[in-house]
Each structure stands twice: as C-alpha cells, then as structure tokens.
C-alpha cells in the first residue's frame, strides 16, 4: 500500500467505529489500517476483529496493555506502506484528506516529511478548522531549518506536538527503526519527535485538513490535574535522561527545551488550589 495508518486502540468502543470508518471510506483506497488492540477490557478488541473480517486492508494486533507508545511500536513493526501515518482511535479523518495528500506528495517528490492541518470536534459539534492562528504563519510547501532545535520549535509553535499531523516516509522511521520509549505514558511523542527531527530537518507544510481531533474528551491525558501534571514531569525527566545517554546532536539546546516543558508542568502542579494534591503525589 502507499499509506499505512497505525491506530492504537484501548477502551474506545464508543468512538472506534467512526474512526475506522473514516479511514476505510476515503476515496483514496491504496492504504492499510493497522489496529493495535492494547489490552482493551471493553468491546474494542472485538470491534477490531469485525472490521478486519469486513475489509482485507485492516490488520489487527492484540497485545497486553503497554500504553500508547508500545501500541504504536507494534504498528510500526507491522507497517508495510511507503508512507506512515498515526491516528488516535477517538479521532477520525476528514473526507478525502488522503487523496489530497497523495496529490501533494507528487508535487514534492523529494520530500520525506509532510505536515497537515487539522480540525477539531466534540460531542456537541462537528469538525471545524482549528483556531490556532496557523494562517498567520503557514505557507504551503517545503522549508529547511538550519538546526534540529529550530525544527522542533517551529513545529511546536505551528502545530503543537502531536505526531498524528505528520505523513512520514518509511525510510525515516522503518528502515532504521525509530521506536517509542517503553513505560512513558505522557508525552510519548517528545522522544520520538526529537529523533525524527534529528533524521530530517525538512518539513513540507500542506494546506490539507486530514485529522479531526476530539476535544474535551473526559478521561484523556490532556486533563491537567496536579497528579497528571506530575506524571508529565516524570515522563519529561525520563525522556531527557534517555536522550542524554544517547548523546544526540545539539543535546544542550534540546535539553533546555525539555526543561522548559518540565517547568511548565511544575507550575501547573503547583497552583494554589492543587498544592495539597501535589504534596501527596510527590515522592
């Protein structure tokens, strides 16, 4: 297939059908969908098997719960497409987004890392363009950044940090495998994204909406309670420690950037109304 989309699945029985259907009903058909059931305890795993029985482009992997990073790793090992995409199982794709991406790839055949726009929706609303101010900075086409940290900061400023906005040539992450850190359950994108941008400082921005991102989903990691902020701090510290042991290029600049993330979550955890929860959680 031209595209492989990796979809980690964990206890999303309410959302999974819409997610998978949005992929399989794309007018562009040359794709495979890899559903990684990460030890779901609801009907999500069975739903994955139903989709696989209905469409030969669907591959299902069942595994013990290991978190989002481990599920993505399983999907990466199984992916056979020339281009790799990620999709969270409570989100979905916009109509015809993949066809538009395929057309854009032909315009820039030398590029290996494309970045898409996205939409947001909730239980009360349909998909709409996000209000992140991209139009002020966004120019379609390739851009080469002079340093890794410049690439990281530009991507973060324009797109946040989630990797489901990326369309990645398999040579960047599969030929020499790039895997997510095990046992990091908050900010698992950070380590992986830093290494991705170490391998490629070219970003090709596309004026294409692909992912519809579900907001205000109760129970997600975006709920910034004191305890959750502390979990983020732990994950950022783990990420920084591993990167230090690997002696990546521009290590000091990257570690300084991670330190800013750490302080951000420390401040959230230390809000006055959350201090007692922070003290109870702090080892």
């Amino acid at each position: 297939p031209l595209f492989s989309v990796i979809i980690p699945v964990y206890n999303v029985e309410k959302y999974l059908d819409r997610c998978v259907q949005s992929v399989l009903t794309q007018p562009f058909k040359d794709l495979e969908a890899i559903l990684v059931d990460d030890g779901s305890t609801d009907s999500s795993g069975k739903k994955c098997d139903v989709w696989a029985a209905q469409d030969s482009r669907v591959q299902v992997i069942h595994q013990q719960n290991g978190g989002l990073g481990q599920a993505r790793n399983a999907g990466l090992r199984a992916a056979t497409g020339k281009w790799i995409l990620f999709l969270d199982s409570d989100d979905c794709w916009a109509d015809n987004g993949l066809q538009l991406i395929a057309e854009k790839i032909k315009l820039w055949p030398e590029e290996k890392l494309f970045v898409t726009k996205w939409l947001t929706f909730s239980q009360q609303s349909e998909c709409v363009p996000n209000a992140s101010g991209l139009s002020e900075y966004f120019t379609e086409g390739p851009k080469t950044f002079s340093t890794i940290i410049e690439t990281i900061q530009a991507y973060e400023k324009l797109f946040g940090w989630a990797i489901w906005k990326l369309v990645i040539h398999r040579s960047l992450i599969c030929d020499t495998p790039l895997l997510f850190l095990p046992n990091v359950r908050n900010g698992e994108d950070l380590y992986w994204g830093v290494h991705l941008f170490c391998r490629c400082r070219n970003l090709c921005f596309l004026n294409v909406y692909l992912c519809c991102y579900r907001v205000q989903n109760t129970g997600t990691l975006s709920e910034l309670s004191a305890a959750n902020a502390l979990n983020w701090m732990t994950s950022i510290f783990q990420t920084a420690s591993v990167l230090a042991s690997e002696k990546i290029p521009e290590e000091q600049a990257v570690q300084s950037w991670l330190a800013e993330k750490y302080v951000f979550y420390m401040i959230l955890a230390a809000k006055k109304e959350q201090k007692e929860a922070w003290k109870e959680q702090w080892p």
Side-chain angles (χ1 to χ4, degrees):
L2 187 63
F3 295 107
S4 293
V5 54
I6 297 168
I7 307 175
V9 175
Y10 180 71
N11 289 357
V12 285
E13 60 184 9
K14 292 193 298 183
Y15 309 119
L16 183 61
D17 286 341
R18 180 175 183 178
C19 172
V20 178
Q21 185 176 29
S22 74
V23 172
L24 299 181
T25 57
Q26 292 284 313
F28 190 89
K29 301 297 184 183
D30 189 13
L31 64 89
E32 66 177 358
I34 303 171
L35 307 181
V36 184
D37 171 29
D38 191 39
S40 296
T41 57
D42 63 3
S43 66
S44 297
K46 293 180 180 178
K47 284 179 175 288
C48 290
D49 292 333
V50 170
W51 280 108
Q54 294 176 351
D55 195 314
S56 62
R57 296 174 297 167
V58 177
Q59 177 185 167
V60 178
I61 300 170
H62 296 285
Q63 64 180 33
Q64 292 184 339
N65 180 253
L68 182 59
Q70 292 285 54
R72 286 174 172 167
N73 287 344
L76 281 168
R77 294 185 183 101
T80 62
K82 183 176 180 180
W83 296 91
I84 310 296
L85 301 95
F86 296 93
L87 177 62
D88 292 345
S89 50
D90 56 348
D91 299 334
C92 59
W93 275 354
D95 296 341
N96 204 39
L98 206 59
Q99 176 67 48
L100 297 175
I101 289 171
E103 294 171 2
K104 298 288 186 178
I105 287 174
K106 291 180 180 179
L107 293 179
W108 293 289
E110 302 302 317
E111 299 301 316
K112 294 186 176 181
L113 191 55
F114 293 88
V115 190
T116 64
K117 291 185 176 181
W118 70 103
L119 305 112
T120 60
F121 73 107
S122 67
Q123 293 292 94
Q124 293 76 37
S125 67
E126 291 303 310
C127 291
V128 295
N130 71 86
S132 60
L134 286 179
S135 59
E136 183 179 350
Y137 310 101
F138 188 100
T139 301
E140 185 173 60
K143 182 173 177 58
T144 301
F145 296 92
S146 58
T147 64
I148 296 166
I149 192 63
E150 183 182 345
T151 313
I152 290 171
Q153 291 174 334
Y155 182 78
E156 182 180 42
K157 180 179 181 180
L158 293 176
F159 299 96
W161 195 246
I163 63 168
W164 42 258
K165 301 160 190 173
L166 296 171
V167 183
I168 310 159
H169 195 278
R170 70 174 294 110
S171 63
L172 290 178
I173 58 175
C174 295
D175 293 354
T176 302
L178 175 56
L179 299 177
F180 293 82
L181 286 178
N183 305 318
V184 174
R185 291 178 177 257
N186 297 66
E188 65 286 322
D189 295 350
L190 296 177
Y191 169 88
W192 198 87
V194 166
H195 272 287
L196 177 64
F197 294 138
C198 284
R199 296 181 179 191
C200 182
R201 297 201 308 272
N202 281 29
L203 300 179
C204 190
F205 303 124
L206 300 182
N207 190 24
V208 174
Y209 291 98
L210 179 63
C211 186
C212 297
Y213 172 68
R214 185 183 299 274
V215 296
Q216 299 175 344
N217 185 11
T218 302
T220 64
L221 293 178
S222 59
E223 292 182 348
L224 293 177
S225 63
N228 202 28
L230 287 164
N231 290 335
W232 272 90
M233 291 165 63
T234 300
S235 296
I236 292 168
F237 182 81
Q238 290 174 307
T239 299
S241 297
V242 174
L243 289 173
S245 70
E246 295 173 343
K247 301 193 180 301
I248 61 169
E250 302 177 35
E251 179 182 349
Q252 183 173 350
V254 172
Q255 293 287 13
S256 295
W257 171 75
L258 284 171
E260 293 175 1
K261 312 298 118 190
Y262 187 92
V263 171
F264 170 78
Y265 285 104
M266 183 173 66
I267 292 171
L268 287 173
K271 283 184 178 179
K272 182 177 180 181
E273 64 271 21
Q274 297 175 333
K275 278 189 175 181
E276 290 306 315
W278 183 20
K279 291 176 182 176
E280 291 175 4
Q281 293 285 333
W282 195 255

